[in-house]
Amino acid sequence: MSQPAQTASPQLQRRLGLGDAVLIGLGSMIGAGIFAALAPAAHAAGSGMLAGLAVAAVVAYCNATSSARLAARYPASGGTYIYGRERLGDFWGYLAGWAFVIGKTASCAAMALTVGSYVWPHHAHAVAAAAVVALTAVNYAGIQKAAWLTRLVVAVVLAVLAAVVVASLTSATADAGRLGVGSDATVTGVMQAAGLLFFAFAGYARIATLGEEVRDPTRTIPRAIPLALGLTLVVYTAVAVAVLTVLGPDGLGEAAAPLSDAVRAAGVDWLAPFVRGGAAVAALGSLLGLILGVSRTTLAMARDRHLPHVLAAVHPRFQVPHRAELLVGALVVMVAATADVRGAIGFSSFGVLVYYAIANASAWTLTRDENRPPRIVPAVGLAGCLVLAFTLPAASVAWGAMVLVAGIAAYGIRRGITARRAP
């Protein structure tokens, strides 16, 4: 299917190699999610939290595999917005793009507020807004600077997480018996925990949304996405096991700052400030990648006039979608100045799961000649996304559905106006 509007637009430069792509994926996943999601997941699933992590990992793997195969075939900015449009039709591509933009805008606000909560709790909203402004400026200056900063963020966060794991597992208070599954674990609780923990995994598609900026995308993207996901799963499992052995599921479920509480329970109080600093750095890393991805999807939708075409501009010097980045930054500043963190995370998760459901449905349509994954992969991914979406809190589902319906209505109105103007 040809897209004249897309080919006529200035193109982004392919500067990112395999290492850069993997690091951007790691920086997007290994972020504030692991510092924040473990406690609510343990509260939902109790001793079944590790089972919830396993479910989230399976769904994430299916989504990553489907996204990788699609991204290799359609290596352009936009991710599932492009895949849905090409494989399922214009409406489904639009719906995926809309779900991604609204969901990830809320996620940007949640990450910014996490920065504020750790850096200066009494002025969290002001710090959040300042963080968004600063990272929007970094992205505006060019993708290479963003990739370099991501390397630093990933290194710092991995060092902090490694310290938490070592301190917890070598502590005299560590007890492997706390890892056992008891009668408090239920299927509903495990699925809700999986939905919450999925939020911490949902960064691997950032690689796909950068498809127009990756060198040799047919080889690089299918390798980078599973690599980033696999490394992230290893890190998350180690951290979850270590923290559970010290706090147990009940203690973890009630923890306000689970990783800080874990090192204190392990008797290593001096490490707690470093953990708080690591959480702030992790949230900044996630925010950096999120702004990057949302702006690229906005660019793709603007090229096809699903959003104002003025947002399709690429800066002649920095080679970035500067107008899209400025708009996304402004919206996130407004949300971060007023929103609640938990509400933003729930709303984001709903939108992102809808986005990935469409990615799996798109991957189902690939043929053998198009290097489709085994059929069970998109099938499990699609079903898993829908189930996890509807295990989220009722308020998140209701608000998410309302905003999706509003987007669908806008699409219908635009199509109606276009039809009336046609000869």
Side-chain angles (χ1 to χ4, degrees):
M1 183 182 300
S2 62
Q3 296 293 330
Q6 186 157 326
T7 57
S9 301
Q11 301 300 299
L12 303 174
Q13 292 186 9
R14 298 193 184 279
R15 298 178 176 177
L16 302 178
L18 177 62
D20 288 328
V22 170
L23 281 165
I24 286 175
L26 286 175
S28 300
M29 284 184 282
I30 302 179
I34 190 62
F35 290 89
L38 289 178
H43 184 75
S47 59
M49 191 196 74
L50 290 179
L53 179 62
V55 172
V58 169
V59 175
Y61 171 78
C62 293
N63 295 348
T65 302
S66 294
S67 297
R69 301 298 175 88
L70 289 161
R73 182 159 182 81
Y74 303 103
S77 290
T80 302
Y81 167 68
I82 301 294
Y83 317 150
R85 185 192 68 196
E86 296 294 325
R87 308 303 306 191
L88 304 175
D90 188 69
F91 168 76
W92 293 104
Y94 167 83
L95 185 63
W98 178 253
F100 183 88
V101 169
I102 62 172
K104 288 302 186 178
T105 299
S107 190
C108 286
M111 293 300 96
L113 287 167
T114 301
V115 176
S117 299
Y118 278 93
V119 171
W120 199 356
H122 297 298
H123 299 277
H125 290 288
V127 174
V132 174
V133 171
L135 293 188
T136 299
V138 170
N139 279 334
Y140 192 101
I143 183 69
Q144 284 290 72
K145 292 184 177 65
W148 178 88
L149 184 56
T150 299
R151 290 188 183 95
L152 177 61
V153 170
V154 171
V156 171
V157 174
L158 287 176
V160 170
L161 294 180
V164 171
V165 170
V166 172
S168 299
L169 293 180
T170 59
S171 168
T173 60
D175 181 3
R178 296 185 175 121
L179 300 176
V181 178
S183 59
D184 61 326
T186 64
V187 173
T188 301
V190 168
M191 297 307 292
Q192 188 173 82
L196 293 165
L197 291 167
F198 182 81
F199 177 79
F201 278 108
Y204 47 81
R206 202 78 63 253
I207 301 168
T209 61
L210 298 174
E212 197 173 317
E213 295 160 273
V214 174
R215 294 193 300 269
D216 192 10
T218 302
R219 281 177 49 83
T220 300
I221 292 174
R223 294 170 62 195
I225 291 178
L227 275 173
L229 179 64
L231 291 170
T232 300
L233 177 58
V234 170
V235 172
Y236 283 5
T237 302
V239 173
V241 168
V243 173
L244 276 173
T245 60
V246 174
L247 297 177
D250 293 336
L252 179 57
E254 298 300 322
L259 300 193
S260 295
D261 290 355
V263 296
R264 289 193 183 96
V268 195
D269 291 23
W270 62 267
L271 187 58
F274 293 96
V275 174
R276 290 177 63 84
V281 171
L284 285 169
S286 292
L287 179 58
L288 178 68
L290 285 166
I291 294 173
L292 205 66
V294 175
S295 64
R296 269 57 180 181
T297 301
T298 301
L299 165 72
M301 295 182 73
R303 283 173 169 173
D304 295 335
R305 301 184 185 274
H306 286 308
L307 292 174
H309 191 61
V310 68
L311 299 175
V314 175
H315 195 283
R317 176 184 173 189
F318 298 121
Q319 295 296 301
V320 297
H322 57 297
R323 292 175 183 170
E325 288 186 344
L326 291 175
L327 175 64
V328 169
L331 290 174
V332 175
V333 166
M334 289 189 291
V335 176
T338 58
D340 171 74
V341 175
R342 290 182 178 269
I345 289 175
F347 182 85
S348 172
S349 295
F350 185 85
V352 172
L353 285 164
V354 170
Y355 171 87
Y356 285 124
I358 296 172
N360 283 293
S362 301
W364 177 270
T365 69
L366 291 171
T367 65
R368 289 184 181 276
D369 291 340
E370 293 172 319
N371 195 28
R372 77 180 183 204
R375 289 295 182 121
I376 192 173
V377 171
V380 171
L382 174 58
C385 286
L386 295 177
V387 170
L388 295 187
F390 287 96
T391 59
L392 292 168
S396 298
V397 175
W399 279 106
M402 286 173 57
V403 176
L404 282 183
V405 169
I408 292 170
Y411 177 85
I413 292 170
R414 188 185 73 86
R415 288 294 293 265
I417 293 173
T418 302
R420 284 196 297 271
R421 287 178 176 174

